[in-house]
Amino acid sequence: MKLYQSVGPNPRVVLMYLAETGLTVERRVVDIMASENRTGDFLAKSPLGHTPLLELDNGQYVAESVAICEYLDETLAGHRLLGAKAEERAQTRMLTRIVDQQAVVPMTLAFRGAEGLPMFQDRMLCVPGAAGDLKRQAASGLAAIDRI
């Protein structure tokens, strides 16, 4: 297997998972600042140009940090981190979705429309006018998560 990683919060999730479990996977850094993830070679592997990306030994690819962590947990780690039982894995998935929906998505969109606008405006749709409201939504979501 090979993990294509880059800077950013999503690739960092997989690196934290690997650190927590002690698993090792061959890694290759993708320079997203130089748009390496937008080249034909990389897009053939990851049509949306997303990192992280896990290349399996059979030539298939798994994108998205949570899916990669779940795959590794089920195949290599033997459910060491995300839960050994269906109920435990369901709780992990539930909390991950809540954090994503309540905080990560609005925070990411806010960053792309504000501080990150120069980097993202030519790469994807950004909504600068919504950045302030999205920041407030992310703060509200973080407060809600604290109540769980």
Side-chain angles (χ1 to χ4, degrees):
M1 281 189 281
K2 184 186 301 183
L3 177 65
Y4 294 86
Q5 65 183 71
S6 65
V7 297
N10 292 320
R12 187 80 168 165
V13 168
V14 178
L15 296 179
M16 288 188 293
Y17 173 86
L18 292 171
E20 287 292 326
T21 60
L23 293 173
T24 58
V25 175
E26 179 184 349
R27 297 187 226 173
R28 182 180 174 289
V29 175
V30 177
D31 187 351
I32 63 172
M33 300 305 286
S35 297
E36 184 181 353
N37 60 318
R38 303 288 182 216
T39 64
D41 287 345
F42 192 79
L43 291 172
K45 298 174 176 109
S46 177
L48 297 176
H50 289 177
T51 60
L53 179 70
L54 183 65
E55 181 177 356
L56 307 182
D57 292 334
N58 66 7
Q60 291 183 312
Y61 295 94
V62 178
E64 302 299 327
S65 56
V66 173
I68 291 169
C69 292
E70 287 182 356
Y71 177 82
L72 294 171
D73 214 55
E74 292 176 21
T75 59
L76 298 181
H79 304 294
R80 287 195 276 176
L81 187 62
L82 303 180
K85 299 177 185 174
E87 294 84 1
E88 294 168 346
R89 291 189 300 277
Q91 289 294 313
T92 301
R93 286 185 188 106
M94 176 189 75
L95 293 170
T96 300
R97 288 288 292 159
I98 290 170
V99 170
D100 281 347
Q101 292 174 336
Q102 297 296 314
V104 175
V105 170
M107 192 180 305
T108 300
L109 295 173
F111 176 75
R112 288 178 185 160
E115 296 85 355
L117 186 61
M119 181 171 56
F120 288 102
Q121 64 188 350
D122 294 332
R123 298 176 184 212
M124 60 186 59
L125 176 64
C126 300
V127 188
D133 288 337
L134 288 164
K135 288 179 180 186
R136 284 189 291 283
Q137 183 181 6
S140 174
L142 287 170
I145 291 164
D146 282 342
R147 294 191 297 272
I148 296 176

